[in-house]
Amino acid sequence: QEVLLAVVPAPGPAITPAELFDRLRHVLPRHMLPAFLAVVEGLPKTPNGKVRRGELRDLAASGGAWESPVSAAARPASGGRP
Protein backbone atom coordinates (compact mmCIF):
# COMPACT_ATOMS: atom_id res chain seq x y z
CA GLN A 1 0.00 0.00 0.00
CA GLU A 2 1.29 3.46 -0.88
CA VAL A 3 1.57 5.89 2.01
CA LEU A 4 1.26 9.67 1.91
CA LEU A 5 3.08 11.64 4.57
CA ALA A 6 1.41 15.03 5.06
CA VAL A 7 3.55 17.43 7.08
CA VAL A 8 2.46 20.65 8.73
CA PRO A 9 5.76 22.45 9.33
CA ALA A 10 6.56 24.45 12.43
CA PRO A 11 7.35 28.12 11.96
CA GLY A 12 10.87 28.70 10.76
CA PRO A 13 12.92 27.68 7.75
CA ALA A 14 10.91 25.91 5.05
CA ILE A 15 11.68 22.34 4.07
CA THR A 16 10.95 20.80 0.70
CA PRO A 17 9.51 17.31 0.35
CA ALA A 18 12.76 16.16 -1.27
CA GLU A 19 14.80 17.43 1.71
CA LEU A 20 12.43 15.75 4.15
CA PHE A 21 12.62 12.47 2.23
CA ASP A 22 16.41 12.65 2.26
CA ARG A 23 16.35 12.98 6.06
CA LEU A 24 13.83 10.15 6.44
CA ARG A 25 15.81 7.72 4.30
CA HIS A 26 18.65 7.96 6.81
CA VAL A 27 16.49 7.01 9.80
CA LEU A 28 13.77 4.70 8.42
CA PRO A 29 14.06 1.28 6.83
CA ARG A 30 13.33 1.37 3.09
CA HIS A 31 10.00 -0.43 3.45
CA MET A 32 8.77 2.30 5.83
CA LEU A 33 9.54 5.26 3.57
CA PRO A 34 6.42 7.07 2.35
CA ALA A 35 5.53 6.89 -1.34
CA PHE A 36 4.27 10.48 -1.36
CA LEU A 37 5.06 13.60 0.68
CA ALA A 38 3.11 16.82 0.94
CA VAL A 39 3.97 19.92 2.94
CA VAL A 40 0.60 21.46 3.84
CA GLU A 41 -0.53 24.51 5.82
CA GLY A 42 -2.93 22.39 7.86
CA LEU A 43 -4.62 19.02 7.84
CA PRO A 44 -8.19 18.97 6.50
CA LYS A 45 -10.50 18.19 9.41
CA THR A 46 -14.15 17.43 10.03
CA PRO A 47 -16.20 19.61 12.40
CA ASN A 48 -15.41 16.99 15.08
CA GLY A 49 -11.66 17.46 14.60
CA LYS A 50 -10.94 14.18 12.79
CA VAL A 51 -8.56 14.25 9.83
CA ARG A 52 -10.30 13.91 6.46
CA ARG A 53 -8.14 11.13 5.07
CA GLY A 54 -10.04 11.07 1.80
CA GLU A 55 -8.93 14.62 1.03
CA LEU A 56 -5.32 13.62 1.67
CA ARG A 57 -5.69 10.63 -0.68
CA ASP A 58 -7.12 12.98 -3.31
CA LEU A 59 -4.07 15.21 -2.88
CA ALA A 60 -1.77 12.34 -3.84
CA ALA A 61 -4.02 11.11 -6.65
CA SER A 62 -4.30 14.58 -8.21
CA GLY A 63 -0.54 15.07 -8.35
CA GLY A 64 -0.53 17.55 -5.46
CA ALA A 65 2.06 15.55 -3.54
CA TRP A 66 5.74 14.92 -4.21
CA GLU A 67 6.38 11.34 -5.31
CA SER A 68 9.37 9.69 -3.68
CA PRO A 69 12.04 7.90 -5.73
CA VAL A 70 11.12 4.69 -3.88
CA SER A 71 7.57 4.86 -5.24
CA ALA A 72 8.70 5.73 -8.76
CA ALA A 73 11.13 2.79 -8.80
CA ALA A 74 8.40 0.39 -7.70
CA ARG A 75 5.96 1.49 -10.41
CA PRO A 76 5.32 -0.98 -13.22
CA ALA A 77 6.99 -0.23 -16.57
CA SER A 78 3.59 0.77 -18.01
CA GLY A 79 3.73 3.92 -15.90
CA GLY A 80 0.49 3.24 -14.04
CA ARG A 81 0.15 3.33 -10.31
CA PRO A 82 0.13 -0.10 -8.65
Side-chain angles (χ1 to χ4, degrees):
Q1 184 175 0
E2 295 182 333
V3 174
L4 165 72
L5 173 63
V7 177
V8 179
I15 187 167
T16 67
E19 291 169 331
L20 179 57
F21 183 82
D22 190 50
R23 291 182 187 184
L24 291 175
R25 70 182 184 88
H26 292 292
V27 295
L28 293 176
R30 188 170 201 256
H31 71 278
M32 293 182 73
L33 292 171
F36 299 94
L37 289 117
V39 178
V40 297
E41 290 183 21
L43 297 175
K45 294 187 178 180
T46 67
N48 293 334
K50 294 182 180 182
V51 175
R52 293 180 189 249
R53 291 179 289 182
E55 288 185 31
L56 293 175
R57 280 191 293 270
D58 293 344
L59 180 67
S62 68
W66 181 83
E67 186 172 2
S68 76
V70 172
S71 175
R75 180 176 296 129
S78 65
R81 292 196 176 178

